[in-house]
Amino acid sequence: MTTARVTPPRRGRPGYDLESLLAVAVKVFNERGYEATSMEDLSRRLGITKSAIYHHISGKDELLRLAVDRALDGLFEAADEASAMDGRAIDKLEHLMRRSVRVLVARLPFVTLLLRVRGNTKVERQALARRRAFDHLVSELVQRAQDEGDVRPDVDPAVASRLLFGLVNSLTEWYRPRGGMSADALADTVCKIAFDGLRQDRPA
Amino acid sequence: MTTARVTPPRRGRPGYDLESLLAVAVKVFNERGYEATSMEDLSRRLGITKSAIYHHISGKDELLRLAVDRALDGLFEAADEASAMDGRAIDKLEHLMRRSVRVLVARLPFVTLLLRVRGNTKVERQALARRRAFDHLVSELVQRAQDEGDVRPDVDPAVASRLLFGLVNSLTEWYRPRGGMSADALADTVCKIAFDGLRQDRPA
């Protein structure tokens, strides 16, 4: 919990700490697009002056960096956990997907924003570089699982890893935690389809 | 092929028919966002005046309608084809996914634009309504395949259908026809993973 530099609430004016300021900013970025959002827009939406915002952060790109790192740090923690596991690559891969679904559910606005980053600024390029590093880890796991005979030999590991995370990332398009499935139930369904397929084999 | 209302090419000024004008407009919409793009922007990018654009279309929203219908018509043709098939729902579903991958590959910029539509104008709301109708068809097919015993009983048909098309739609994030896999090879890989899963069963 970030509680540093709390602005005390004043009458009729909401007070923000860095955390709640970030939450509103990410909501606005996701609604209007990061590029299309000005500090002026943020100031209006937050109901505080621009200088009150600058009390917390150096600018729009620091907000973006904090937001996308929130998503990326979660994904890399999941990857670290998976690589620290004993056993077969396919089990690490399944663990990583399951954990990634949970990160997505717990940090949905941050992951949604991350997936829209296109790379026009330094912060965006750094985020894209971290995403590529993550994709590379996934692709290596799929390759190792295939080498160990646990992944079907007739798919390209790079394509398969893109499809696996395409499946996970597509959740941002429709999943809403409120009233939806639990993160664990969602992760179960994603992993059943990704690893064992939708088809129920008919008895011969 | 739409060849009506061709502007004859003039020296130093590119001539556009509706088809080539639409192609450029969709490219700009995908780069900058539909809302953020003005007719002024289109005029600059096309190198023709706004009135030359209005010679072809009534406005920005007609361009959007033509573009998203290009994607939606392809998907509904695929759905009609699938429902006209004899046999089991699971085979219709697999046919529909395979054909949808081919529509996506053949009409990539149009499908990409469709997936970004958020519903702020009448044209956008109509596109979203057609998307929902398509999703409903898919969900019904999954339900019927489950009733016929061909889809695993432990997944919710509505969630499964969202995941299947999340997988297909995620291709817009990375697939590029030039230098990439063929549409058929891509459709094969998508269907292998979606229906039979990534896991290779080890001999007992």
Side-chain angles (χ1 to χ4, degrees):
Chain A
M1 286 295 134
T2 306
T3 51
R5 295 190 287 180
V6 174
T7 309
R10 275 184 273 166
R11 188 157 49 100
R13 291 188 146 210
Y16 292 96
D17 57 15
L18 181 58
E19 198 59 34
S20 55
L21 188 140
L22 184 61
V24 175
V26 169
K27 194 166 185 299
V28 181
F29 293 158
N30 281 332
E31 283 167 16
R32 304 172 51 97
Y34 172 71
E35 268 186 78
T37 305
S38 64
M39 287 298 279
E40 195 65 44
D41 296 325
L42 289 180
S43 150
R44 243 194 323 270
R45 181 71 82 91
L46 288 157
I48 59 177
T49 62
K50 281 198 277 183
S51 70
I53 302 178
Y54 286 120
H55 177 69
H56 294 283
I57 46 103
S58 61
K60 212 174 78 160
D61 58 343
E62 192 184 346
L63 283 170
L64 182 67
R65 186 178 56 73
L66 288 168
V68 296
D69 280 350
R70 205 61 64 92
L72 286 160
D73 292 349
L75 293 172
F76 276 97
E77 280 160 29
D80 289 345
E81 226 180 84
S83 18
M85 281 170 68
D86 288 328
R88 305 183 76 90
I90 187 109
D91 298 324
K92 297 181 184 193
L93 183 63
E94 184 161 351
H95 183 84
L96 178 53
M97 274 193 79
R98 202 172 284 278
R99 284 280 281 106
S100 297
V101 172
R102 288 210 292 264
V103 168
L104 182 141
V105 167
R107 306 183 188 190
L108 190 56
F110 301 113
V111 176
T112 302
L113 184 62
L114 173 67
L115 296 178
R116 294 186 185 163
V117 160
R118 284 294 169 267
N120 299 316
T121 63
K122 192 180 164 194
V123 170
E124 289 172 275
R125 284 191 299 273
Q126 284 171 337
L128 286 179
R130 289 190 77 192
R131 268 196 77 182
R132 274 194 301 274
F134 182 81
D135 291 347
H136 187 69
L137 287 175
V138 177
S139 177
E140 277 185 338
L141 266 183
V142 176
Q143 176 75 68
R144 279 179 40 214
Q146 198 178 51
D147 293 344
E148 290 172 8
D150 293 326
V151 157
R152 52 190 310 149
D154 57 352
V155 297
D156 177 81
V159 172
S161 65
R162 280 174 184 278
L163 291 174
L164 290 185
F165 272 78
L167 190 56
V168 172
N169 293 340
S170 74
L171 297 175
T172 57
E173 295 294 321
W174 61 270
Y175 179 73
R176 297 297 169 262
R178 200 170 296 192
M181 295 171 86
S182 74
D184 283 341
L186 192 62
D188 272 351
T189 303
V190 167
C191 286
K192 276 176 195 163
I193 293 180
F195 289 97
D196 299 311
L198 193 62
R199 199 188 312 272
Q200 166 91 333
D201 290 321
R202 276 171 273 167
Chain B
M1 286 292 138
T2 306
T3 49
R5 295 191 289 183
V6 175
T7 309
R10 275 183 275 165
R11 191 157 48 102
R13 290 188 146 208
Y16 292 96
D17 57 18
L18 181 59
E19 198 58 36
S20 55
L21 187 142
L22 185 62
V24 176
V26 169
K27 194 166 185 298
V28 180
F29 292 157
N30 281 332
E31 283 168 16
R32 304 172 54 97
Y34 172 70
E35 269 185 77
T37 305
S38 64
M39 286 297 281
E40 195 65 43
D41 295 326
L42 290 180
S43 150
R44 243 195 322 273
R45 181 70 81 92
L46 288 157
I48 59 178
T49 62
K50 280 199 277 182
S51 68
I53 302 179
Y54 286 121
H55 177 69
H56 294 283
I57 47 106
S58 62
K60 212 176 77 160
D61 58 342
E62 192 184 346
L63 283 170
L64 182 65
R65 186 177 57 73
L66 288 168
V68 296
D69 280 351
R70 206 61 64 94
L72 286 160
D73 292 348
L75 292 173
F76 276 98
E77 280 161 29
D80 288 345
E81 224 180 85
S83 18
M85 281 170 68
D86 289 326
R88 306 182 75 91
I90 186 108
D91 297 325
K92 298 180 185 194
L93 183 64
E94 184 161 349
H95 183 83
L96 178 53
M97 276 193 76
R98 200 172 285 278
R99 283 279 281 109
S100 298
V101 172
R102 288 210 291 262
V103 168
L104 182 141
V105 167
R107 306 182 187 189
L108 190 55
F110 300 113
V111 177
T112 302
L113 185 61
L114 173 66
L115 297 177
R116 294 184 186 163
V117 161
R118 284 296 168 264
N120 299 317
T121 64
K122 191 179 165 199
V123 170
E124 289 172 276
R125 285 192 298 273
Q126 285 172 337
L128 286 179
R130 289 189 77 191
R131 269 196 76 182
R132 275 196 300 274
F134 182 81
D135 291 348
H136 187 69
L137 286 174
V138 176
S139 177
E140 277 186 338
L141 266 184
V142 176
Q143 176 73 70
R144 279 179 40 214
Q146 200 178 48
D147 293 344
E148 291 172 6
D150 292 327
V151 157
R152 51 190 311 151
D154 58 352
V155 296
D156 177 81
V159 173
S161 66
R162 281 175 183 279
L163 290 175
L164 289 184
F165 272 78
L167 189 56
V168 172
N169 293 338
S170 73
L171 297 174
T172 58
E173 295 294 321
W174 61 270
Y175 179 74
R176 297 297 169 262
R178 200 171 295 194
M181 295 173 84
S182 73
D184 284 340
L186 191 63
D188 272 351
T189 303
V190 167
C191 286
K192 277 176 195 163
I193 293 180
F195 289 96
D196 300 311
L198 193 62
R199 199 187 314 272
Q200 166 92 330
D201 291 320
R202 276 172 273 168

